[in-house]
Amino acid sequence: MQLEQPSQGSASTWSGTVPSAVDVRVLGLVVVVAGLAASMNVPYGGVATAAVAFVLLSCGGTALHVLGERKLRRITDGLVERWDEAGGRVEDVSRSSNGMRTEWRVHTPDGDVVIGGVALIPIARLSVEWRGIGDTMAACEAESNIDQLATELYREIFEYDAGR
């Protein structure tokens, strides 16, 4: 199902970009876990083996976080782009954070939509929250069904007050 053509004048002020959200806290967690895991190698393989393990685990964890962030940002960008094309009034998209979650706030005249989740491949999860009600799904599932997801969320967010 496709989104409807714009029903309202497209008075969007959105610049068309979703800011990057590489999260230093997640990278810090990756480094700490890599350090703990690498330290277990000291008694068995020495400091050199532990250093190699630390570098490999840190680089791997960082790459997984960057890939997870890119996936969530791609989904967020796709949703906001589809909403904007359908006539949803998107004012701006900004980065925010909550705990260890990576989040973006989509500012609309009726309130903020929070899109985010855990930005760490293979456990990346997408969550969307609007007016205190949220839904969570696997990021790969959201990405493969982006058109259907955008349509359903558009109805809930932008056509909510029109139906009253």
Side-chain angles (χ1 to χ4, degrees):
M1 177 178 268
Q2 297 292 325
L3 288 175
E4 302 284 326
Q5 290 299 320
S7 57
Q8 311 167 7
S10 187
S12 174
T13 58
W14 177 51
S15 67
T17 59
V18 174
S20 178
V22 173
D23 200 339
V24 178
R25 294 168 303 156
V26 174
L27 294 177
L29 178 65
V30 165
V31 169
V32 167
V33 169
L36 290 173
S39 69
M40 296 178 73
N41 288 312
V42 173
Y44 303 107
V47 175
T49 304
V52 169
F54 175 75
V55 169
L56 290 175
L57 291 170
S58 295
C59 290
T62 300
L64 293 177
H65 172 60
V66 169
L67 290 172
E69 183 274 337
R70 288 182 67 200
K71 180 176 277 226
L72 290 178
R73 185 170 44 149
R74 224 178 12 252
I75 293 168
T76 302
D77 186 50
L79 290 173
V80 174
E81 182 179 300
R82 285 166 177 80
W83 296 341
D84 188 50
E85 289 172 359
R89 293 181 13 218
V90 176
E91 295 172 345
D92 193 18
V93 178
S94 62
R95 181 185 181 278
S96 66
S97 59
N98 181 12
M100 290 307 249
R101 291 175 24 142
T102 302
E103 295 180 340
W104 292 270
R105 291 193 176 278
V106 179
H107 305 285
T108 69
D110 297 325
D112 290 351
V113 179
V114 179
I115 302 174
V118 178
L120 193 63
I121 295 286
I123 61 169
R125 299 209 38 97
L126 175 77
S127 66
V128 179
E129 183 179 325
W130 164 248
R131 292 188 177 178
I133 299 172
D135 192 17
T136 303
M137 67 187 68
C140 58
E141 177 185 336
E143 191 171 39
S144 65
N145 298 321
I146 189 83
D147 290 327
Q148 180 183 0
L149 180 63
T151 302
E152 291 172 3
L153 290 171
Y154 182 85
R155 285 188 191 133
E156 290 179 24
I157 297 166
F158 296 101
E159 294 179 353
Y160 174 76
D161 290 329
R164 288 181 141 179

